[in-house]
């Protein structure tokens, strides 16, 4: 009589083989499922910044809510000529100031040459007649304060009279008044009307209460648009 714990060896081997194959299949299924899950849900990629440049879209201003895209106007290149170069420079008044002041040093383009208004003179009146008596459009007066002087003693203002080519004298002509800068920074003063003139008269006045005022350098400009 056979022992109850004994079994058919061939049947036992088939059973063990079946269990091994089943376990392997189950394990393979888990691995495949995990792989599919990993592929289906990859790690988040790093963000990529994309810049897209679009041309402004033109819209019809007649449409409600439309927007008109405006651009800045182009800056025009200008050409400036200093009419004081080569001009005849002297005193506009017969007050003897021509012998006391070197007026030409006020138009030499150097900020380290200047004139000091001193008593008994209360102002300086300078006449600038353009070279050859030719007429030019006067568009601006530029002033460069004197360098290295006491700011409290700088000239205070200038009155500019433009001498039109059709008028011999300055009587009754319009006067343009400007406050001069109280620093070493240059400044330009526009002359409106593009007046064609053969010269200008500058009347420079000291600061109020100053016993001596220093006057820097002037330029008489004719500005045109460069071609």
């Amino acid at each position: 009589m056979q022992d109850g714990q004994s079994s058919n060896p061939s049947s036992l081997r088939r059973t063990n083989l079946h269990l091994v194959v089943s376990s392997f299949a189950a394990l393979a299924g888990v691995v495949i499922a995990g792989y599919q899950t990993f592929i289906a849900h990859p790690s988040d990629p790093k963000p990529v910044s994309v810049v897209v440049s679009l041309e402004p879209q033109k819209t019809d201003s007649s449409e409600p809510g439309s927007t008109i895209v405006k651009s800045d106007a182009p800056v025009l290149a200008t050409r400036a000529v200093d009419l004081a170069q080569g001009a005849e420079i002297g005193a506009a008044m017969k007050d003897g100031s021509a012998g006391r002041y070197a007026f030409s040093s006020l138009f030499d383009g150097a900020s380290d040459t200047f004139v000091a208004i001193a008593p008994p003179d209360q102002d300086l009146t300078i006449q600038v007649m353009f070279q050859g008596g030719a007429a030019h459009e006067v568009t601006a007066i530029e002033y460069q304060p004197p360098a290295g002087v006491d700011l409290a003693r700088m000239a205070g203002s200038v009155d500019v009279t433009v001498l039109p080519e059709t008028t011999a004298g300055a009587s009754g002509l319009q006067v343009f008044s400007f406050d001069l800068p109280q620093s070493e920074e240059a400044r330009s003063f526009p002359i409106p009307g593009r007046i064609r003139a053969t010269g200008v008269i500058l009347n420079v006045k000291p600061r109020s209460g100053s016993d001596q005022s220093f006057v820097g350098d002037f330029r008489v400009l004719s500005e045109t648009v460069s071609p």
Side-chain angles (χ1 to χ4, degrees):
M1 182 176 179
Q2 292 181 338
D3 186 50
Q5 295 179 347
S6 301
S7 61
N8 190 334
S10 61
S11 176
L12 182 60
R13 284 195 298 271
R14 286 196 299 272
T15 300
N16 292 338
L17 179 61
H18 178 72
L19 291 175
V20 170
V21 171
S22 298
S23 299
F24 180 80
L27 179 60
V30 172
V31 172
I32 293 173
Y35 178 78
Q36 291 176 342
T37 300
F38 176 78
I39 294 299
H41 303 282
S43 60
D44 293 336
K46 294 182 179 180
V48 178
S49 177
V50 179
V51 178
V52 180
S53 177
L54 299 178
E55 292 292 332
Q57 183 177 1
K58 296 181 179 179
T59 58
D60 187 354
S61 59
S62 63
E63 297 179 0
S66 62
T67 301
I68 300 176
V69 179
K70 296 182 179 180
S71 60
D72 294 335
V75 178
L76 298 178
T78 59
R79 175 175 176 266
V81 176
D82 184 5
L83 300 176
Q85 299 301 308
E88 181 182 342
I89 301 170
M93 309 293 292
K94 295 181 179 180
D95 55 2
S97 58
R100 296 191 298 271
Y101 300 97
F103 290 130
S104 59
S105 65
L106 300 178
F107 302 90
D108 60 4
S111 62
D112 57 349
T113 59
F114 47 84
V115 167
I117 304 175
D121 295 314
Q122 300 298 316
D123 58 8
L124 293 181
T125 306
I126 310 147
Q127 180 173 276
V128 181
M129 301 304 297
F130 303 149
Q131 186 175 19
H136 301 274
E137 289 184 348
V138 178
T139 61
I141 300 294
E142 186 179 275
Y143 179 68
Q144 173 63 61
V149 303
D150 186 356
L151 300 183
R153 291 189 171 186
M154 289 190 172
S157 63
V158 61
D159 294 337
V160 181
T161 304
V162 180
L163 305 177
E165 60 180 331
T166 57
T167 303
S171 177
L173 298 178
Q174 185 176 2
V175 177
F176 303 94
S177 298
F178 306 105
D179 291 329
L180 298 177
Q182 305 300 297
S183 67
E184 293 188 1
E185 183 177 352
R187 188 173 176 184
S188 181
F189 305 101
I191 302 295
R194 302 193 71 88
I195 304 171
R196 287 187 62 83
T198 57
V200 297
I201 293 177
L202 306 180
N203 178 243
V204 186
K205 300 176 182 179
R207 290 183 63 177
S208 177
S210 177
D211 60 341
Q212 190 179 44
S213 290
F214 297 98
V215 187
D217 204 75
F218 288 98
R219 297 175 70 203
V220 182
L221 300 181
S222 180
E223 300 163 309
T224 56
V225 177
S226 297

